[in-house]
Amino acid sequence: MCFISWLIKDSVLKYRAEIDGLRALAVVPVILFHAGFELFSGGFVGVDVFFVISGYLITTILIGELEDNRFSIVNFYERRARRILPALFFIMIVCVPFAWMWMLSSQFKDFSQSLVAVSFFVSNILFWRESGYFAPAAEEKPLLHTWSLAVEEQYYILFPIFLLFAWRYGKNKVFWMIVAFSAVSLALSEWGWRNNPAANFYLAPTRAWELFAGSIAAFIVNKHGVRKSNVFALLGLAAILYSIFKYDESTPFPSVYALVPVLGVVLLVLFADKETLVARVLSTKVFVGIGLISYSAYLWHHPLFAFARIRLLESPPWYFMLGLSVVSLFLAALTWKFVEAPFRNKHGFFANRRTVFSVSGVTLFIFAGFGLMGHINNGFSNRMPAHLNSIDVAGAPVSATCLKGDVSDCVIGEREGAVDFALIGDSHAGRYAYALEKQSEVGDFSFRLISGGWCAPLINWSAYDGANNTSCFEGMENLIQDVAGDDSIKTVVLAAEWANYTKGYRHGSRVTTYQHDKVSIKKPENNYKAFSKAFDDTVDLLLSKKKRVIIIEPVPEYKFSVPKKLAKAILFDFCLGELRKPLEEYYKRNEEFFDVLDEFDSSEVKRFSVSQFFCDSQFCRPYSEEILPYYNDGNHLSSVGLELLEGELLESILAASK
């Protein structure tokens, strides 16, 4: 990703214009992907293209210097500092005032943490711990994209040291060592996306094989030179383009799927001789020009997009994001000319190596110090009115129950003897349990809670494509069977974010397919069939065991964090009415669930309407008359929201239990 084409005159690396053109092919899809253009659904693979290019160019330089006995770790790190830090520092400086003006306290605290992480080149670790790359909240993190810089910097720190010590064993053995490292890293990434997707995406061990692929290509070119093959060059280009337009957020990444763009780049490096058609196209002025500014363009685009999304109440329209994409290239050209290029030249104040390291160190210390202060002071919360801070940090209710692990099972309440009812469901059931727990502290009743996040309260039900909490299904079914067989429990309450199991995840970026009784449902649009059968089986089981069944209808959902959107609307003086959603959207979202529920007679299955507390005849509102959020995110009720319904919910349950 970093600009490496302009090298000192005595460098052994021969300039290849097509490599700069390849950078353009990488950065433009990344920008358009982050801008939200669905055509470039796999544009994120541009980062992987950058990784391979970096591995190739850095290894080529290091091999030449080692062969000429003129390799110096200090010189290497000086070159990295000159090429990477000036533009990065400039972008970070520009971000700070906009973050100060526009970010809520919680957002500025996160931003402050990212300043610290970027300063120590560990932002990939920070963002791994915070949220997924494709999560909606990630779109408002101005420095999210620096995770890839951190991966490269970690490679730059360790790889030259490895080469320095391994070179004594001979170039051939070093080559095979790198091949072995690549195989291990690829195998780790293949394991990682199945077991810890976030860590797999962000961390260097599962990304290293992509950089090593470039290193392997560098060894081959060093020995055999760049070969001319229009066929292989076109095949490499086709592989990259295929992944850009065919991959999407659901593609496991990195994994063997990443071999397509990675090997595509390797083929171009090995076979795109300057006489090939692909090299001639990539060497045109447009491609090379964008390639020259690609590092700055990469740095600029994400802060521009993030701050636009922060400042606007709704998602920016496509033409606005396209305009910002063009602006990012324009700003990148200015940054390349006035920031990148001057600092690469060993003239004037920065001619001295000690000055480069000293200024870099002091600047990193300043950013880290400022970020640490922002973290300690909760995002400098005194910037904002106290009411906004209270809305911004509206959190989930804190409960003393046993909500932990895949499926929790506990009894809540102080009444001795048999429990009055069982409450079973996903995280929404856990939220209702909090409200009922408050009531149990002053009332003489107890209940059994069975709850697991993303775990539908159904039997004969499991995820088909592995994109869900697959470990919960067996546990949930066993517990439902246990409750059904417990004669002391007369009433069973089922609660869930029901539409997740029919239509799919509320943000539309995660669509799980399910299976019923070992019969796979391979298409999301067939989820209704699987859900209908599983729901019928579950209710029929409970009714056959003489249980009274109560279904808590779904809560209105929102595709945004209600506290943050509400605070932002107040901060920027937007109309609060824009946060409402039409009642018809609520019914449209849950139409399949209501179709299934309507199959049961009201005398068999009682229903408790949640929407009645938050919706009128036309709209559902996510905030109270006092302008306090009913939710702590986009779908889980806050303490304020639960207070509206907790009394009537308990009354309905206890009435049905008599």
Side-chain angles (χ1 to χ4, degrees):
M1 184 180 315
C2 303
F3 189 97
I4 309 176
S5 298
W6 282 22
L7 299 163
I8 54 178
K9 292 183 179 179
D10 59 346
S11 171
V12 296
L13 178 60
K14 182 179 179 181
Y15 175 66
R16 296 179 60 180
E18 67 274 10
I19 297 298
D20 270 331
L22 186 56
R23 282 199 189 91
L25 188 61
V27 76
V28 171
V30 168
I31 292 173
L32 295 177
F33 168 75
H34 285 150
F37 290 97
E38 294 183 1
L39 177 63
F40 296 85
S41 60
F44 55 87
V45 304
V47 173
D48 306 86
V49 174
F50 280 132
F51 282 157
V52 181
I53 294 173
S54 292
Y56 164 69
L57 294 172
I58 290 300
T59 305
T60 299
I61 294 171
L62 294 177
I63 290 174
E65 292 182 347
L66 286 167
E67 287 182 331
D68 294 343
N69 294 316
R70 57 186 180 86
F71 173 71
S72 167
I73 287 285
V74 176
N75 286 340
F76 176 81
Y77 290 152
E78 180 192 355
R79 293 199 300 268
R80 297 295 94 233
R82 288 180 179 275
R83 290 181 172 85
I84 296 171
L85 297 182
L88 177 61
F89 289 163
F90 182 66
I91 299 301
M92 292 168 71
I93 291 171
V94 172
C95 285
V96 169
F98 289 98
W100 185 274
M101 292 186 296
W102 293 349
M103 281 187 161
L104 302 172
S105 297
S106 62
Q107 292 175 311
F108 199 92
K109 182 176 181 178
D110 290 342
F111 175 73
S112 299
Q113 293 170 350
S114 68
L115 288 177
V116 177
V118 172
S119 299
F120 293 104
F121 304 111
V122 291
S123 57
N124 60 326
I125 298 175
L126 172 69
F127 294 125
W128 156 51
R129 301 301 301 173
E130 286 187 346
S131 66
Y133 183 72
F134 302 111
E139 294 182 340
E140 295 186 0
K141 295 180 182 292
L143 298 179
L144 176 72
H145 60 325
T146 61
W147 74 267
S148 61
L149 295 183
V151 170
E152 286 196 13
E153 289 302 323
Q154 291 156 18
Y155 164 79
Y156 293 154
I157 291 172
L158 298 177
F159 187 68
I161 298 174
F162 157 73
L163 277 187
L164 182 64
F165 286 99
W167 199 254
R168 69 189 69 178
Y169 300 108
K171 185 163 62 174
N172 190 56
K173 290 185 178 178
V174 172
F175 172 80
W176 289 110
M177 288 181 194
I178 295 174
V179 171
F181 294 157
S182 300
V184 171
S185 176
L186 176 57
L188 184 62
S189 73
E190 190 61 19
W191 176 88
W193 76 262
R194 292 178 170 87
N195 295 277
N196 195 329
N200 180 60
F201 188 91
Y202 283 114
L203 299 187
T206 53
R207 289 286 187 173
W209 69 272
E210 299 175 335
L211 289 149
F212 286 145
S215 298
I216 292 169
F219 274 86
I220 296 174
V221 170
N222 177 265
K223 184 174 182 178
H224 300 289
V226 180
R227 301 299 181 89
K228 177 182 178 181
S229 173
N230 277 302
V231 173
F232 284 123
L234 286 170
L235 182 62
L237 179 62
I240 297 171
L241 293 176
Y242 175 84
S243 58
I244 289 172
F245 294 111
K246 290 298 183 180
Y247 287 1
D248 57 31
E249 298 171 5
S250 66
T251 305
F253 224 82
S255 64
V256 292
Y257 286 92
L259 281 170
V260 176
V262 168
L263 292 180
V265 179
V266 170
L267 287 175
L268 287 175
V269 169
L270 297 180
F271 296 102
D273 175 85
K274 63 181 180 179
E275 298 301 324
T276 60
L277 175 62
V278 171
R280 290 201 298 270
V281 172
L282 293 178
S283 299
T284 57
K285 290 183 178 180
V286 173
F287 278 95
V288 172
I290 296 176
L292 290 174
I293 62 172
S294 60
Y295 175 52
S296 288
Y298 183 80
L299 289 177
W300 269 112
H301 84 282
H302 206 276
L304 287 174
F305 296 166
F307 283 118
R309 290 175 172 126
I310 289 170
R311 183 59 181 83
L312 300 176
L313 188 63
E314 301 296 336
S315 297
W318 68 267
Y319 52 84
F320 186 83
M321 297 303 287
L322 181 61
L324 287 182
S325 301
V326 175
V327 170
S328 69
L329 295 177
F330 174 73
L331 293 175
L334 295 178
T335 305
W336 174 81
K337 182 175 182 180
F338 296 109
V339 179
E340 281 194 72
F343 281 93
R344 280 195 299 273
N345 298 324
K346 296 184 178 181
H347 300 296
F349 181 73
F350 290 96
N352 185 281
R353 174 188 299 162
R354 180 177 298 179
T355 302
V356 172
F357 287 142
S358 298
V359 173
S360 298
V362 169
T363 307
L364 290 172
F365 177 80
I366 292 173
F367 278 123
F370 180 77
L372 183 61
M373 290 296 294
H375 170 73
I376 294 173
N377 290 283
N378 292 313
F380 297 108
S381 56
N382 57 350
R383 297 175 301 118
M384 296 291 171
H387 182 63
L388 280 187
N389 286 329
S390 65
I391 293 175
D392 178 30
V393 298
V398 178
S399 174
T401 63
C402 60
L403 291 175
K404 59 183 180 179
D406 292 324
V407 183
S408 301
D409 180 15
C410 61
V411 175
I412 299 174
E414 300 298 328
R415 190 172 76 85
E416 296 182 0
V419 299
D420 293 272
F421 60 91
L423 173 60
I424 308 175
D426 57 18
S427 60
H428 284 218
R431 193 53 57 89
Y432 297 127
Y434 168 79
L436 295 172
E437 182 180 25
K438 284 178 58 182
Q439 297 290 315
S440 72
E441 294 173 354
V442 296
D444 185 25
F445 74 95
S446 62
F447 64 98
R448 182 176 176 182
L449 170 65
I450 297 172
S451 174
W454 271 86
C455 202
L458 302 172
I459 64 173
N460 302 329
W461 172 261
S462 62
Y464 176 74
D465 62 2
N468 207 307
N469 185 7
T470 55
S471 61
C472 82
F473 300 123
E474 183 176 349
M476 178 63 79
E477 178 161 350
N478 291 337
L479 289 170
I480 291 174
Q481 296 282 2
D482 181 63
V483 168
D486 188 342
D487 293 335
S488 67
I489 298 177
K490 303 300 183 182
T491 302
V492 178
V493 183
L494 302 180
E497 190 178 3
W498 297 108
N500 273 344
Y501 314 109
T502 55
K503 271 190 165 53
Y505 188 53
R506 75 195 75 90
H507 293 302
S509 60
R510 187 193 313 173
V511 180
T512 304
T513 54
Y514 296 95
Q515 60 183 21
H516 171 268
D517 198 17
K518 312 308 178 185
V519 178
S520 63
I521 305 297
K522 295 186 178 181
K523 295 182 179 180
E525 54 266 31
N526 292 333
N527 280 354
Y528 170 76
K529 298 177 182 178
F531 177 84
S532 178
K533 292 178 181 178
F535 190 88
D536 289 351
D537 287 353
T538 304
V539 175
D540 288 343
L541 170 67
L542 295 173
L543 293 176
S544 70
K545 299 296 183 178
K546 309 303 180 182
K547 308 295 183 186
R548 305 179 188 91
V549 180
I550 301 175
I551 306 297
I552 299 180
E553 295 179 1
V555 68
E557 303 163 285
Y558 296 85
K559 295 183 179 181
F560 51 81
S561 170
V562 171
K564 285 183 169 50
K565 186 66 74 78
L566 180 59
K568 185 164 70 171
I570 297 172
L571 176 63
F572 298 126
D573 198 27
F574 288 112
C575 176
L576 295 182
E578 294 184 34
L579 274 62
R580 299 178 305 172
K581 65 181 300 178
L583 181 62
E584 62 185 34
E585 286 188 17
Y586 168 77
Y587 285 109
K588 182 68 175 179
R589 165 75 172 155
N590 295 284
E591 59 185 343
E592 290 93 344
F593 166 71
F594 283 123
D595 285 345
V596 174
L597 187 57
D598 288 342
E599 295 175 3
F600 292 91
D601 189 272
S602 59
S603 62
E604 296 178 313
V605 177
K606 303 296 182 182
R607 301 160 65 153
F608 181 80
S609 170
V610 178
S611 62
Q612 63 176 310
F613 298 95
F614 307 103
C615 307
D616 56 27
S617 60
Q618 290 183 299
F619 294 98
C620 298
R621 191 178 66 181
Y623 55 89
S624 68
E625 295 290 344
E626 296 77 22
I627 319 298
L628 293 173
Y630 285 144
Y631 301 76
N632 70 281
D633 51 23
N635 66 100
H636 292 94
L637 293 176
S638 66
S639 300
V640 177
L642 289 169
E643 286 175 358
L644 286 182
L645 57 83
E646 59 188 25
E648 291 192 32
L649 175 60
L650 176 61
E651 184 179 337
S652 298
I653 295 174
L654 294 182
S657 302
K658 294 178 181 179

